Amino acid sequence: GGRLRTYRSLLGEGDNIAIDLSQVFSESENIDWLEAGHNVLKEHRKQLQLLLIYNLSQHVPAFLKLLPGSIRDVSSLENAVREAGLEDVLLVFDKGFWSSDNLDKLESRDLGYLAAIRRNAKILETKPETAYRDYFSWRNRFIWYRSYQVERGVVHHFLDKKLRAEEENSLLQRIEDGKEDPETLEKKRDRLGTLALLTNRDFDSEEAYKLYKQRDEIEKAFDGLMNTLEADKSYMQGREAIQGYMFVQFAALYAYSRILEILRDKDLVSKYSVRDVLTYLSKVYKVTVDGDLTSSEVPKKTRDMIEKLDLPITQNL
């Protein structure tokens, strides 16, 4: 259908994508996919799962699908990848999807992945700080790294010494407060401040790290979808209605992402939020005067913002 064609037009061969799940809550009695679950406030409510594919290469959302409330494993990712018509892709996902069964399913379909691993996973080699002998710079921090082969592929293991110091201080405070046993520090010391990524594709460590850190784009996209666009709850009363509603939300999220990208390109993220841009632009509209359609008066702050963003709309004002 039209929705699927739209989604596929936003995905190109070789694009790197991130996939994540969130929840949409509803009180409808007519949606058989709804199942009970907990929200962030620990309230027990009926919910659907919302699967989002985000195109990291193009910095836009590219696919949105509703799933029954209890589905949260890699099978849903496989189906979404197939439905979106993707072949040569790299799936980037966090620790929530980490399991041997999930990786087996991905490998059986020859899907590439870059997966964060829990710090206490048995496949990891826990080494002291001196084992990390190379480094690169990332957002004004130095990241030390090492890599090694395991049965499934390559583990890229990173150490952020600044983060390690912060986590160690926090752990020491919990020990002082009696919330942790004193021996916990020695047990965890070599894991503090670390991040481990497993991949079945060929990357150097710095590239793997930067690809994974791009995941914050999908997290920000979900934040925009749930908070700015308020898509985390729905009053639709049927499955078809809520699917249509979420497609409209997807279109809004696409616009949101494009605006955010313009703000980044113009280095204006610290000055304007996406909500600011939408609020200012809501004051630009057409009016009819003596039968002629003309532009309304544009407030100075709105005009200033439009000029800074270099939006095409300025050509008509």
Side-chain angles (χ1 to χ4, degrees), residues 104-155:
D104 286 342
K105 291 176 182 177
L106 291 176
E107 290 168 359
S108 69
R109 295 187 177 276
D110 195 31
L111 289 171
Y113 60 81
L114 180 67
I117 311 172
R118 295 185 179 92
R119 288 179 177 177
N120 61 354
K122 292 181 179 179
I123 71 168
L124 296 182
E125 297 177 2
T126 302
K127 299 285 187 179
E129 187 172 306
T130 53
Y132 299 83
R133 299 186 178 182
D134 296 300
Y135 67 88
F136 56 85
S137 177
W138 169 256
R139 295 181 180 175
N140 299 317
R141 298 171 85 117
F142 290 106
I143 308 299
W144 295 78
Y145 65 91
R146 59 194 177 92
S147 61
Y148 46 92
Q149 194 78 29
V150 294
E151 183 178 350
R152 289 188 180 275
V154 176
V155 170

Side-chain angles (χ1 to χ4, degrees), residues 56-245:
L56 296 174
S57 301
Q58 300 182 37
H59 310 289
V60 292
F63 188 91
L64 191 67
K65 184 177 182 179
L66 287 169
L67 302 168
S70 63
I71 293 179
R72 194 174 180 84
D73 64 30
V74 82
S75 295
S76 57
L77 309 189
E78 292 179 72
N79 294 335
V81 167
R82 187 167 59 252
E83 192 173 340
L86 295 170
E87 294 181 6
D88 181 21
V89 296
L90 176 77
L91 303 181
V92 183
F93 54 90
D94 63 16
K95 299 168 188 175
F97 284 104
W98 170 261
S99 76
S100 294
D101 287 344
N102 281 346
L103 296 183
D104 286 342
K105 291 176 182 177
L106 291 176
E107 290 168 359
S108 69
R109 295 187 177 276
D110 195 31
L111 289 171
Y113 60 81
L114 180 67
I117 311 172
R118 295 185 179 92
R119 288 179 177 177
N120 61 354
K122 292 181 179 179
I123 71 168
L124 296 182
E125 297 177 2
T126 302
K127 299 285 187 179
E129 187 172 306
T130 53
Y132 299 83
R133 299 186 178 182
D134 296 300
Y135 67 88
F136 56 85
S137 177
W138 169 256
R139 295 181 180 175
N140 299 317
R141 298 171 85 117
F142 290 106
I143 308 299
W144 295 78
Y145 65 91
R146 59 194 177 92
S147 61
Y148 46 92
Q149 194 78 29
V150 294
E151 183 178 350
R152 289 188 180 275
V154 176
V155 170
H156 297 283
H157 218 147
F158 305 94
L159 170 63
D160 181 336
K161 293 184 180 182
K162 186 174 181 180
L163 178 61
R164 168 166 286 188
E166 292 169 357
E167 291 185 352
E168 186 173 292
N169 286 337
S170 178
L171 179 56
L172 287 170
Q173 188 60 57
R174 292 200 302 274
I175 291 173
E176 286 291 308
D177 294 341
K179 297 177 181 178
E180 294 275 3
D181 295 328
E183 59 268 21
T184 304
L185 179 60
E186 286 308 311
K187 289 180 181 178
K188 293 185 175 181
R189 187 190 298 273
D190 289 335
R191 298 202 297 263
L192 297 177
T194 63
L195 168 68
L197 302 175
L198 172 67
T199 183
N200 61 350
R201 293 296 187 261
D202 186 21
F203 294 113
D204 62 41
S205 294
E206 184 174 356
E207 184 181 7
Y209 186 87
K210 290 179 178 179
L211 273 173
Y212 181 75
K213 286 300 181 179
Q214 279 186 283
R215 267 194 58 82
D216 68 355
E217 291 194 34
I218 195 171
E219 292 164 2
K220 288 175 181 174
F222 260 129
D223 181 69
L225 190 64
M226 300 307 179
N227 296 318
T228 302
L229 303 176
E230 299 182 353
D232 59 335
K233 49 190 175 293
S234 170
Y235 302 99
M236 301 295 104
Q237 293 300 308
R239 188 192 299 183
E240 292 77 13
I242 196 171
Q243 286 176 329
Y245 169 77

Side-chain angles (χ1 to χ4, degrees), residues 15-26:
D15 284 344
N16 294 320
I17 65 172
I19 302 182
D20 210 347
L21 292 171
S22 189
Q23 295 80 37
V24 176
F25 297 95
S26 173

